[in-house]
Amino acid sequence: MSIFAPHGSRPPSAPPPSRSARTRERILKVSLDLFNQEGESNVTTGHIADELDISPGNLYYHFRNKDEIIRHLFAEFEKQIDIAPGPIMDAASAMEDLWLYLHMMFERIWQYRFLYRNLDDLLARDTKLKSHFNIIISHKRDAIRTMCESLVAAKAMSATSKIIEALAENILVVATYWLNYENLKHRAGIHDHPEKHLTRGVYQVMCLIAPYLGGGAKEHLDHLLEIYTQ
């Protein structure tokens, strides 16, 4: 039997989500917005219910407490942050792919920025979240290490294995705490022009890598930095 649908036929459509499923999605979306805007520690389930114009009992029917909402949001974040740079074809494309990869990573962090705003408190409250966050960090470390090793193999980068390990750690430190640092620097906060702050974060990470690049990779990186930081 062919895995393709016959010519002119349409694949069966998925059934529409139930009312209960739609309510759960609304609760998660509004919770994410409130956590990001106000800070998770400043938002109660009462605030969430008021924003949705539903009773607290209706909210508790779907989620037992705020921590359960946070765990569901974290699970979605974990899926979305699970990205990695593609295989390196040449030095120039590697720099563009790396820039895109870093920007996508910073965008995911921005989308779920409440997790990073009170990271230590959240992870101290829930050991399961801490375990999963460590898995995310481990995957990112592996992705950065693999990318650097590929650049070395392509003779676009000169770095020992120890340097690569340290570089991966430094990149993760910058990515993890960048938004907090930017928010500290800017009295008005960083909500008005997030794209500018995300680009600055990518720039700082690329500057960590720049000293170890050579030839076409270094020239192309300089070109990218000039374009994106004008």
Side-chain angles (χ1 to χ4, degrees):
M1 180 183 294
S2 171
I3 63 173
F4 299 100
H7 180 68
S9 67
R10 294 182 179 180
S13 59
S18 66
R19 181 176 180 180
S20 178
R22 292 197 302 271
T23 301
R24 284 175 62 86
E25 287 303 310
R26 286 179 60 221
I27 292 172
L28 290 174
K29 182 181 183 305
V30 167
S31 297
L32 178 60
D33 290 342
L34 288 175
F35 291 161
N36 281 339
Q37 292 168 13
E38 308 295 336
E40 172 272 331
S41 61
N42 298 318
V43 177
T44 67
T45 50
H47 293 141
I48 298 169
D50 287 344
E51 188 71 17
L52 287 160
D53 197 22
I54 62 175
S55 69
N58 193 354
L59 187 147
Y60 291 135
Y61 173 79
H62 298 281
F63 298 99
R64 290 174 298 176
N65 49 45
K66 189 172 74 170
D67 285 344
E68 187 176 354
I69 294 174
I70 292 171
R71 282 193 288 271
H72 277 77
L73 291 173
F74 188 92
E76 187 60 31
F77 166 73
E78 192 172 16
K79 287 190 293 186
Q80 294 197 31
I81 200 71
D82 188 23
I83 52 177
I88 291 176
M89 306 302 294
D90 57 72
S93 65
M95 292 301 99
E96 294 189 15
D97 289 347
L98 175 58
W99 186 280
L100 177 62
Y101 166 69
L102 291 171
H103 212 288
M104 290 175 64
M105 186 169 70
F106 273 89
E107 284 177 343
R108 299 297 183 274
I109 292 172
W110 172 260
Q111 187 179 355
Y112 293 86
R113 56 192 176 277
F114 83 92
L115 293 170
Y116 289 80
R117 184 174 178 177
N118 297 316
L119 184 61
D120 293 342
D121 291 341
L122 283 174
L123 300 187
R125 273 167 32 199
D126 193 324
T127 56
K128 187 174 181 180
L129 283 190
K130 185 173 184 178
S131 174
H132 279 259
F133 195 84
N134 280 327
I135 291 172
I136 292 172
I137 292 293
S138 178
H139 287 174
K140 293 303 170 195
R141 187 186 297 110
D142 290 343
I144 295 166
R145 185 191 302 117
T146 299
M147 176 207 66
C148 290
E149 289 171 348
S150 299
L151 285 169
V152 170
K155 301 187 183 307
M157 183 177 189
S158 178
T160 64
S161 58
K162 286 187 176 181
I163 289 295
I164 290 174
E165 288 291 336
L167 190 56
E169 292 291 343
N170 290 341
I171 288 172
L172 289 171
V173 169
V174 171
T176 301
Y177 294 103
W178 178 252
L179 293 181
N180 287 340
Y181 174 71
E182 284 288 274
N183 204 50
L184 180 67
K185 279 174 47 183
H186 298 274
R187 186 174 301 177
I190 60 177
H191 295 275
D192 291 340
H193 303 285
E195 184 67 23
K196 177 181 70 175
H197 301 286
L198 299 185
T199 299
R200 279 173 45 81
V202 176
Y203 173 82
Q204 293 299 322
V205 169
M206 296 296 266
C207 285
L208 292 173
I209 298 170
Y212 304 100
L213 299 177
K218 180 65 166 63
E219 292 176 4
H220 201 75
L221 175 58
D222 289 342
H223 178 64
L224 285 175
L225 294 179
E226 184 178 350
I227 291 175
Y228 286 104
T229 56
Q230 286 180 348

